[in-house]
Amino acid sequence: MQKTFLFLAAIIGGLGVIIGAFGAHGLKDLIDEESLRTYETGVRFQFYHVFALIACSLLYAAKPSKIIRVSYWLFFFGIIAFSGSIYLLATSSLTGIPTSILGPITPLGGLLFLAAWVLMSIYALMRPFGKKNLLGI
């Protein structure tokens, strides 16, 4: 499972590079400035959460835990829902996809991120690090 976790994190990270480069070079002359900034927000959040995927991968490799596994998948699907919908919203003038369909997906992705971060904080307060947790308790 930990190999799958790290592999998927690497794929999502690599896609972030490709998607970011496409936005910076391929979309610059095709969409307006506001849409380009929105697109860049999707890339930025994708990368932030790739680091969370990597952290979950390493934590799971060190000590497999259901809470980390669930957190990983919440981050993973959060990236798809949040960043994916942002990419489609930002390029709706090109794709013709109605924003009314995509609008509700973005906050759902944000809620998935939030739930994943809450689970990671709960994990940190548990005792996964030997006799003491991250707070030294």
Side-chain angles (χ1 to χ4, degrees):
M1 179 68 69
Q2 58 265 32
K3 283 184 182 180
T4 301
F5 281 177
L6 196 53
F7 173 77
L8 289 174
I11 294 295
I12 296 292
L15 285 172
V17 172
I18 293 167
I19 292 167
F22 176 69
H25 303 290
L27 291 177
K28 188 168 61 172
D29 296 328
L30 299 176
I31 60 177
D32 60 50
E33 283 296 318
E34 183 179 342
S35 295
L36 196 55
R37 280 193 302 278
T38 299
Y39 189 91
E40 290 169 352
T41 297
V43 173
R44 193 169 49 255
F45 272 75
Q46 181 170 342
F47 273 113
Y48 292 159
H49 291 91
V50 162
F51 295 125
L53 290 176
I54 292 168
C56 286
S57 300
L58 296 175
L59 288 169
Y60 193 84
K63 184 174 182 176
S65 164
K66 182 177 181 180
I67 197 167
I68 289 299
R69 188 174 67 241
V70 171
S71 184
Y72 181 94
W73 289 116
L74 289 170
F75 281 129
F76 183 85
F77 289 113
I79 290 169
I80 292 169
F82 185 87
S83 292
S85 66
I86 291 275
Y87 300 143
L88 293 173
L89 283 166
T91 59
S92 64
S93 64
L94 301 174
T95 64
I97 297 173
T99 57
S100 60
I101 294 172
L102 298 170
I105 297 172
T106 307
L108 174 64
L111 287 174
L112 293 173
F113 286 152
L114 183 58
W117 286 115
V118 167
L119 284 180
M120 286 201 60
S121 68
I122 291 168
Y123 179 79
L125 294 175
M126 295 167 55
R127 297 189 177 272
F129 302 97
K131 294 182 180 184
K132 295 183 178 183
N133 62 21
L134 288 177
L135 298 177
I137 301 170

